[in-house]
Amino acid sequence: AAMIAGLLVAPTRYAPTNDLERSRDRAATVLRLMADQGYLSETEYALATANPASLSRTAQAKAGGYFADWMMAQGPEFLTRKTTEDVLITTTFDPKIQKAAEAAVDTVFINKVSKGSKAQVAIVVMSADGAVRAMVGGRQTGVTGGFNRAIHAKRQMGSAFKPFVYAAALDLGRSPLDIIIDEPSTLTIPGSGTWSPRNYTKEFKGPVTLTQALRDSLNIPAVKLSESVGRDVVRTVATGFGLGPDLAQGPALALGASEGTLLDLTAAYAGLLNGGSSVASYGVLDLRFVGDDDPLVGQTGGIGERVLTQKATEELIYMMHDVVENGTGARARLDGHPAAGKTGTTQAARDAWFVGFTAEYVAGVWMGYDDNTPLTGVTGGGLPAEIWHDMMASVTEGTQSVPLPMRAPTQKTPEQLDGGTLFGPSAPNAPQEPKVDGFIRRLIDGLF
């Protein structure tokens, strides 16, 4: 009773399902005041403080609190939050996947994050059609009414946005084997002066394929590619997959300067897994009054319009698979289950992302501070990728390996390379197609 009374000043903050110790401390204050004011005898006070209230077995399970809050908000208010009727809701929630997500968070934060750190985390897992299977909105898993970082926190996407730059290029006929020059590059931005993008390593790799550029998350090639296909085209592709509408206008668009939620970004990757069609994420399958045969509300989302061609999508998945196998996302690699994905780390490491997929599930992980404090020693290819790996290893354990829907690019012959796409050093804002000289020819031969 003391714990319930303590809820009145701040129901969410002092909810025992949110923070049991905080709720118990609040109850202890109520008991002390009752004793001080003569409502409890010394014996009653001692007995109550020695036996604080505990969570029931159901509450201890703490399964799907963030998901439940989000799902309830998806349905009509008069049928979910403001009704006296008995309503039966069938959802997309998967307790096994939720448990795996929460366990992965606990493992990493207990073993690899400094004690006392205020860093936060969010996770979304969904099927390729947008059906959300699990959701974690913060380190305090299973809470009800808490701030859900998976759906409410809009953060810069960083390099996790880059796949949509490459998607635009592939859709226009570029090949994963096209060559682009990673070199010092300066762009003139009207009204802002010049801007020189830099790679994370502050090094330059010279001629690289588009596949290598994405695999190593090189910034300069991403900007060049975006400028060559056109920022409007990149924005159209990204918006088609549900990112936006307020995407960056300048060349930093290619580097993920725009903000988005983890739910939206994960849904955009789901569009890649399903073959190139947009998805609307959803959690409600069926909503009906208890005893009724006919549902009042059916499925609330799913696959929408096609954004990319099948060929471009499958080639992009091939490139993203290389990110996991050989690139910045190597820590997410799963034994026996092919995976594809992309890392993301924003300016000053304020956000770290890993979003990826197997043939069956798409999962996004974000780490950062609520107040935008920079992370220390954390990149998207680090702890977020490890959380993703631990979670998906548990989800796929004991299941049959399913190949990704990817397409390896056609090997180019020397004759094709002579006329192939080469993004040259003298025009960083536009593609050039010179003949491939002997040095670059030898380099290309070595690459393949």
Side-chain angles (χ1 to χ4, degrees):
M3 186 175 282
I4 293 172
L7 289 172
L8 297 177
V9 294
T12 297
R13 177 175 174 78
Y14 291 116
T17 49
N18 193 346
D19 189 325
L20 181 59
E21 289 306 310
R22 180 188 292 159
S23 183
R24 282 177 167 175
D25 290 344
R26 178 65 182 166
T29 299
V30 173
L31 292 169
R32 178 178 53 78
L33 291 171
M34 291 177 70
D36 290 346
Q37 297 173 28
Y39 293 99
L40 293 177
S41 67
E42 290 185 8
T43 300
E44 289 172 326
Y45 174 68
L47 183 64
T49 54
N51 297 277
S54 300
L55 293 175
S56 68
R57 181 177 299 178
T58 300
Q60 285 177 352
K62 291 184 177 181
Y66 288 111
F67 176 90
D69 286 346
W70 171 74
M71 180 274 301
M72 292 293 282
Q74 303 304 296
E77 187 176 57
F78 67 93
L79 290 175
T80 55
R81 287 150 288 163
K82 293 184 177 181
T83 180
T84 58
E85 300 287 341
D86 291 329
V87 177
L88 179 65
I89 304 175
T90 305
T91 76
T92 59
F93 183 71
D94 188 320
K96 176 187 174 183
I97 298 178
Q98 181 71 31
K99 183 177 180 180
E102 294 180 359
V105 169
D106 290 342
T107 297
V108 167
F109 273 87
I110 290 172
N111 298 318
K112 297 188 177 182
V113 176
S114 300
K115 188 176 181 179
S117 170
K118 301 297 184 182
Q120 281 292 347
V121 65
I123 297 175
V124 172
V125 185
M126 66 176 63
S127 300
D129 68 341
V132 177
R133 304 301 180 184
M135 182 179 289
V136 173
R139 286 171 63 178
Q140 291 180 324
T141 57
V143 305
T144 299
F147 178 62
N148 190 340
R149 294 159 187 84
I151 62 174
H152 292 138
K154 297 191 71 173
R155 309 291 294 232
Q156 281 195 341
M157 292 177 278
S159 293
F161 180 83
K162 286 178 182 174
F164 304 101
V165 175
Y166 289 85
L170 295 173
D171 207 48
L172 291 177
R174 306 292 188 194
S175 165
L177 300 182
D178 282 348
I179 302 297
I180 194 165
I181 311 297
D182 179 30
E183 62 186 349
S185 182
T186 299
L187 290 80
T188 300
I189 305 173
S192 300
T194 59
W195 177 62
S196 300
R198 294 189 302 174
N199 292 325
Y200 181 78
T201 61
K202 299 181 177 61
E203 298 175 349
F204 309 99
K205 295 197 173 184
V208 294
T209 64
L210 298 189
T211 299
Q212 290 172 302
L214 183 63
R215 180 190 71 194
D216 297 333
S217 199
L218 301 177
N219 287 338
I220 295 170
V223 173
K224 283 188 174 184
L225 193 61
S226 175
E227 295 297 293
S228 72
V229 301
R231 291 175 221 159
D232 287 344
V233 176
V234 174
R235 276 192 290 269
T236 297
V237 170
T239 301
F241 281 117
L243 300 177
D246 299 321
L247 295 173
Q249 296 298 311
L253 166 74
L255 305 184
S258 310
E259 293 182 339
T261 67
L262 178 62
L263 179 64
D264 288 344
L265 187 57
T266 306
Y269 276 57
L272 302 178
L273 178 59
N274 71 32
S277 296
S278 65
V279 303
S281 55
Y282 66 99
V284 176
L285 289 172
D286 185 280
L287 188 152
R288 66 184 69 200
F289 290 129
V290 172
D292 285 358
D293 294 330
D294 298 325
L296 300 169
V297 175
Q299 181 177 317
T300 55
I303 295 179
E305 297 182 355
R306 174 168 291 280
V307 180
L308 293 179
T309 64
Q310 187 82 19
K311 177 177 181 291
T313 307
E314 291 175 354
E315 288 179 338
L316 180 60
I317 294 175
Y318 163 85
M319 295 168 66
M320 295 171 68
H321 175 60
D322 195 43
V323 171
V324 173
E325 287 296 307
N326 305 299
T328 59
R331 292 190 188 183
R333 188 186 306 128
L334 299 170
D335 292 335
H337 292 271
K342 185 67 188 75
T343 57
T345 308
T346 62
Q347 189 175 20
R350 290 184 173 87
D351 305 276
W353 308 74
F354 184 82
V355 187
F357 45 82
T358 62
E360 296 180 299
Y361 297 109
V362 186
V365 179
W366 167 87
M367 281 187 67
Y369 288 93
D370 288 338
D371 62 0
N372 272 319
T373 298
L375 294 160
T376 302
V378 178
T379 64
L383 296 185
E386 291 185 31
I387 291 174
W388 193 95
H389 169 271
D390 291 353
M391 172 180 62
M392 296 307 294
S394 178
V395 170
T396 58
E397 184 178 7
T399 64
Q400 185 176 358
S401 178
V402 180
L404 288 169
M406 61 184 181
R407 178 186 308 199
T410 304
Q411 192 78 8
K412 289 196 169 188
T413 65
E415 290 76 16
Q416 289 173 319
L417 285 170
D418 278 342
T421 302
L422 180 78
F423 297 82
S426 61
N429 295 345
Q432 294 189 3
E433 299 183 356
K435 294 289 184 179
V436 181
D437 63 26
F439 166 76
I440 296 178
R441 167 88 50 81
R442 289 192 299 273
L443 178 64
I444 293 170
D445 290 340
L447 291 175
F448 304 138

PDB file of all heavy atoms in Angstrom, residues 110-131:
ATOM      1  N   ILE A 110      26.873  -5.134 -19.016  1.00  0.00           N
ATOM      2  CA  ILE A 110      27.496  -5.638 -17.793  1.00  0.00           C
ATOM      3  C   ILE A 110      28.984  -5.874 -17.990  1.00  0.00           C
ATOM      4  O   ILE A 110      29.804  -5.553 -17.118  1.00  0.00           O
ATOM      5  CB  ILE A 110      26.800  -6.939 -17.340  1.00  0.00           C
ATOM      6  CG1 ILE A 110      25.387  -6.632 -16.831  1.00  0.00           C
ATOM      7  CG2 ILE A 110      27.612  -7.629 -16.242  1.00  0.00           C
ATOM      8  CD1 ILE A 110      24.565  -7.881 -16.545  1.00  0.00           C
ATOM      9  N   ASN A 111      29.349  -6.398 -19.150  1.00  0.00           N
ATOM     10  CA  ASN A 111      30.726  -6.833 -19.358  1.00  0.00           C
ATOM     11  C   ASN A 111      31.620  -5.850 -20.103  1.00  0.00           C
ATOM     12  O   ASN A 111      32.843  -5.918 -19.979  1.00  0.00           O
ATOM     13  CB  ASN A 111      30.736  -8.171 -20.120  1.00  0.00           C
ATOM     14  CG  ASN A 111      30.053  -9.282 -19.353  1.00  0.00           C
ATOM     15  OD1 ASN A 111      30.240  -9.414 -18.149  1.00  0.00           O
ATOM     16  ND2 ASN A 111      29.258 -10.086 -20.040  1.00  0.00           N
ATOM     17  N   LYS A 112      31.015  -4.917 -20.870  1.00  0.00           N
ATOM     18  CA  LYS A 112      31.852  -4.109 -21.755  1.00  0.00           C
ATOM     19  C   LYS A 112      31.608  -2.601 -21.660  1.00  0.00           C
ATOM     20  O   LYS A 112      32.249  -1.845 -22.384  1.00  0.00           O
ATOM     21  CB  LYS A 112      31.648  -4.568 -23.201  1.00  0.00           C
ATOM     22  CG  LYS A 112      32.079  -6.009 -23.415  1.00  0.00           C
ATOM     23  CD  LYS A 112      32.074  -6.420 -24.868  1.00  0.00           C
ATOM     24  CE  LYS A 112      32.575  -7.855 -25.020  1.00  0.00           C
ATOM     25  NZ  LYS A 112      32.629  -8.281 -26.432  1.00  0.00           N
ATOM     26  N   VAL A 113      30.703  -2.186 -20.779  1.00  0.00           N
ATOM     27  CA  VAL A 113      30.431  -0.758 -20.604  1.00  0.00           C
ATOM     28  C   VAL A 113      30.821  -0.370 -19.184  1.00  0.00           C
ATOM     29  O   VAL A 113      30.546  -1.101 -18.230  1.00  0.00           O
ATOM     30  CB  VAL A 113      28.947  -0.432 -20.862  1.00  0.00           C
ATOM     31  CG1 VAL A 113      28.654   1.031 -20.572  1.00  0.00           C
ATOM     32  CG2 VAL A 113      28.580  -0.762 -22.314  1.00  0.00           C
ATOM     33  N   SER A 114      31.469   0.774 -19.050  1.00  0.00           N
ATOM     34  CA  SER A 114      31.945   1.220 -17.743  1.00  0.00           C
ATOM     35  C   SER A 114      30.789   1.329 -16.753  1.00  0.00           C
ATOM     36  O   SER A 114      29.709   1.814 -17.086  1.00  0.00           O
ATOM     37  CB  SER A 114      32.631   2.580 -17.863  1.00  0.00           C
ATOM     38  OG  SER A 114      33.733   2.510 -18.734  1.00  0.00           O
ATOM     39  N   LYS A 115      31.044   0.866 -15.535  1.00  0.00           N
ATOM     40  CA  LYS A 115      30.034   0.955 -14.487  1.00  0.00           C
ATOM     41  C   LYS A 115      29.700   2.422 -14.233  1.00  0.00           C
ATOM     42  O   LYS A 115      30.570   3.261 -14.120  1.00  0.00           O
ATOM     43  CB  LYS A 115      30.556   0.302 -13.207  1.00  0.00           C
ATOM     44  CG  LYS A 115      29.508   0.181 -12.118  1.00  0.00           C
ATOM     45  CD  LYS A 115      30.042  -0.561 -10.911  1.00  0.00           C
ATOM     46  CE  LYS A 115      28.965  -0.697  -9.833  1.00  0.00           C
ATOM     47  NZ  LYS A 115      29.473  -1.439  -8.645  1.00  0.00           N
ATOM     48  N   GLY A 116      28.434   2.726 -14.148  1.00  0.00           N
ATOM     49  CA  GLY A 116      28.001   4.097 -13.942  1.00  0.00           C
ATOM     50  C   GLY A 116      27.762   4.879 -15.212  1.00  0.00           C
ATOM     51  O   GLY A 116      27.298   6.023 -15.168  1.00  0.00           O
ATOM     52  N   SER A 117      28.075   4.279 -16.367  1.00  0.00           N
ATOM     53  CA  SER A 117      27.846   4.959 -17.641  1.00  0.00           C
ATOM     54  C   SER A 117      26.364   5.227 -17.845  1.00  0.00           C
ATOM     55  O   SER A 117      25.508   4.399 -17.514  1.00  0.00           O
ATOM     56  CB  SER A 117      28.379   4.109 -18.801  1.00  0.00           C
ATOM     57  OG  SER A 117      27.966   4.636 -20.046  1.00  0.00           O
ATOM     58  N   LYS A 118      26.055   6.381 -18.385  1.00  0.00           N
ATOM     59  CA  LYS A 118      24.669   6.763 -18.677  1.00  0.00           C
ATOM     60  C   LYS A 118      24.291   6.487 -20.132  1.00  0.00           C
ATOM     61  O   LYS A 118      23.234   6.917 -20.604  1.00  0.00           O
ATOM     62  CB  LYS A 118      24.452   8.242 -18.374  1.00  0.00           C
ATOM     63  CG  LYS A 118      24.728   8.646 -16.920  1.00  0.00           C
ATOM     64  CD  LYS A 118      23.786   7.963 -15.956  1.00  0.00           C
ATOM     65  CE  LYS A 118      24.021   8.457 -14.525  1.00  0.00           C
ATOM     66  NZ  LYS A 118      23.147   7.776 -13.548  1.00  0.00           N
ATOM     67  N   ALA A 119      25.158   5.794 -20.856  1.00  0.00           N
ATOM     68  CA  ALA A 119      24.871   5.477 -22.255  1.00  0.00           C
ATOM     69  C   ALA A 119      23.586   4.661 -22.349  1.00  0.00           C
ATOM     70  O   ALA A 119      23.274   3.849 -21.479  1.00  0.00           O
ATOM     71  CB  ALA A 119      26.025   4.707 -22.881  1.00  0.00           C
ATOM     72  N   GLN A 120      22.847   4.886 -23.434  1.00  0.00           N
ATOM     73  CA  GLN A 120      21.578   4.206 -23.641  1.00  0.00           C
ATOM     74  C   GLN A 120      21.632   3.344 -24.898  1.00  0.00           C
ATOM     75  O   GLN A 120      22.570   3.426 -25.694  1.00  0.00           O
ATOM     76  CB  GLN A 120      20.442   5.217 -23.728  1.00  0.00           C
ATOM     77  CG  GLN A 120      19.971   5.747 -22.391  1.00  0.00           C
ATOM     78  CD  GLN A 120      19.278   4.671 -21.568  1.00  0.00           C
ATOM     79  OE1 GLN A 120      18.933   3.595 -22.065  1.00  0.00           O
ATOM     80  NE2 GLN A 120      19.060   4.978 -20.298  1.00  0.00           N
ATOM     81  N   VAL A 121      20.612   2.538 -25.079  1.00  0.00           N
ATOM     82  CA  VAL A 121      20.553   1.619 -26.208  1.00  0.00           C
ATOM     83  C   VAL A 121      19.112   1.480 -26.655  1.00  0.00           C
ATOM     84  O   VAL A 121      18.178   1.699 -25.878  1.00  0.00           O
ATOM     85  CB  VAL A 121      21.128   0.235 -25.808  1.00  0.00           C
ATOM     86  CG1 VAL A 121      20.243  -0.420 -24.735  1.00  0.00           C
ATOM     87  CG2 VAL A 121      21.292  -0.689 -27.006  1.00  0.00           C
ATOM     88  N   ALA A 122      18.931   1.149 -27.928  1.00  0.00           N
ATOM     89  CA  ALA A 122      17.600   0.839 -28.461  1.00  0.00           C
ATOM     90  C   ALA A 122      17.754  -0.263 -29.498  1.00  0.00           C
ATOM     91  O   ALA A 122      18.779  -0.341 -30.192  1.00  0.00           O
ATOM     92  CB  ALA A 122      16.954   2.073 -29.083  1.00  0.00           C
ATOM     93  N   ILE A 123      16.742  -1.108 -29.588  1.00  0.00           N
ATOM     94  CA  ILE A 123      16.759  -2.228 -30.538  1.00  0.00           C
ATOM     95  C   ILE A 123      15.376  -2.377 -31.150  1.00  0.00           C
ATOM     96  O   ILE A 123      14.363  -2.240 -30.461  1.00  0.00           O
ATOM     97  CB  ILE A 123      17.140  -3.560 -29.854  1.00  0.00           C
ATOM     98  CG1 ILE A 123      18.554  -3.507 -29.280  1.00  0.00           C
ATOM     99  CG2 ILE A 123      17.012  -4.731 -30.828  1.00  0.00           C
ATOM    100  CD1 ILE A 123      18.926  -4.747 -28.482  1.00  0.00           C
ATOM    101  N   VAL A 124      15.337  -2.664 -32.446  1.00  0.00           N
ATOM    102  CA  VAL A 124      14.100  -3.040 -33.126  1.00  0.00           C
ATOM    103  C   VAL A 124      14.385  -4.263 -33.979  1.00  0.00           C
ATOM    104  O   VAL A 124      15.400  -4.303 -34.690  1.00  0.00           O
ATOM    105  CB  VAL A 124      13.555  -1.906 -34.021  1.00  0.00           C
ATOM    106  CG1 VAL A 124      12.380  -2.406 -34.863  1.00  0.00           C
ATOM    107  CG2 VAL A 124      13.122  -0.710 -33.186  1.00  0.00           C
ATOM    108  N   VAL A 125      13.529  -5.259 -33.909  1.00  0.00           N
ATOM    109  CA  VAL A 125      13.627  -6.442 -34.764  1.00  0.00           C
ATOM    110  C   VAL A 125      12.301  -6.594 -35.491  1.00  0.00           C
ATOM    111  O   VAL A 125      11.231  -6.514 -34.871  1.00  0.00           O
ATOM    112  CB  VAL A 125      13.924  -7.722 -33.954  1.00  0.00           C
ATOM    113  CG1 VAL A 125      14.133  -8.906 -34.897  1.00  0.00           C
ATOM    114  CG2 VAL A 125      15.144  -7.539 -33.058  1.00  0.00           C
ATOM    115  N   MET A 126      12.362  -6.794 -36.792  1.00  0.00           N
ATOM    116  CA  MET A 126      11.136  -6.959 -37.578  1.00  0.00           C
ATOM    117  C   MET A 126      11.343  -7.943 -38.713  1.00  0.00           C
ATOM    118  O   MET A 126      12.489  -8.291 -39.058  1.00  0.00           O
ATOM    119  CB  MET A 126      10.648  -5.617 -38.130  1.00  0.00           C
ATOM    120  CG  MET A 126      11.558  -4.972 -39.139  1.00  0.00           C
ATOM    121  SD  MET A 126      10.866  -3.429 -39.845  1.00  0.00           S
ATOM    122  CE  MET A 126      10.732  -2.369 -38.427  1.00  0.00           C
ATOM    123  N   SER A 127      10.249  -8.396 -39.281  1.00  0.00           N
ATOM    124  CA  SER A 127      10.291  -9.215 -40.491  1.00  0.00           C
ATOM    125  C   SER A 127      10.376  -8.296 -41.703  1.00  0.00           C
ATOM    126  O   SER A 127      10.217  -7.079 -41.598  1.00  0.00           O
ATOM    127  CB  SER A 127       9.046 -10.101 -40.574  1.00  0.00           C
ATOM    128  OG  SER A 127       8.971 -10.960 -39.461  1.00  0.00           O
ATOM    129  N   ALA A 128      10.603  -8.893 -42.870  1.00  0.00           N
ATOM    130  CA  ALA A 128      10.815  -8.101 -44.080  1.00  0.00           C
ATOM    131  C   ALA A 128       9.584  -7.322 -44.513  1.00  0.00           C
ATOM    132  O   ALA A 128       9.695  -6.395 -45.319  1.00  0.00           O
ATOM    133  CB  ALA A 128      11.275  -9.012 -45.223  1.00  0.00           C
ATOM    134  N   ASP A 129       8.416  -7.663 -43.982  1.00  0.00           N
ATOM    135  CA  ASP A 129       7.201  -6.931 -44.344  1.00  0.00           C
ATOM    136  C   ASP A 129       6.871  -5.836 -43.341  1.00  0.00           C
ATOM    137  O   ASP A 129       5.834  -5.192 -43.441  1.00  0.00           O
ATOM    138  CB  ASP A 129       6.018  -7.886 -44.473  1.00  0.00           C
ATOM    139  CG  ASP A 129       5.598  -8.480 -43.138  1.00  0.00           C
ATOM    140  OD1 ASP A 129       6.414  -8.454 -42.179  1.00  0.00           O
ATOM    141  OD2 ASP A 129       4.459  -8.979 -43.028  1.00  0.00           O
ATOM    142  N   GLY A 130       7.747  -5.618 -42.335  1.00  0.00           N
ATOM    143  CA  GLY A 130       7.523  -4.563 -41.364  1.00  0.00           C
ATOM    144  C   GLY A 130       6.885  -5.016 -40.067  1.00  0.00           C
ATOM    145  O   GLY A 130       6.641  -4.185 -39.178  1.00  0.00           O
ATOM    146  N   ALA A 131       6.622  -6.310 -39.918  1.00  0.00           N
ATOM    147  CA  ALA A 131       6.020  -6.826 -38.686  1.00  0.00           C
ATOM    148  C   ALA A 131       7.053  -6.798 -37.563  1.00  0.00           C
ATOM    149  O   ALA A 131       8.042  -7.535 -37.606  1.00  0.00           O
ATOM    150  CB  ALA A 131       5.512  -8.251 -38.899  1.00  0.00           C
TER     151      ALA A 131
END
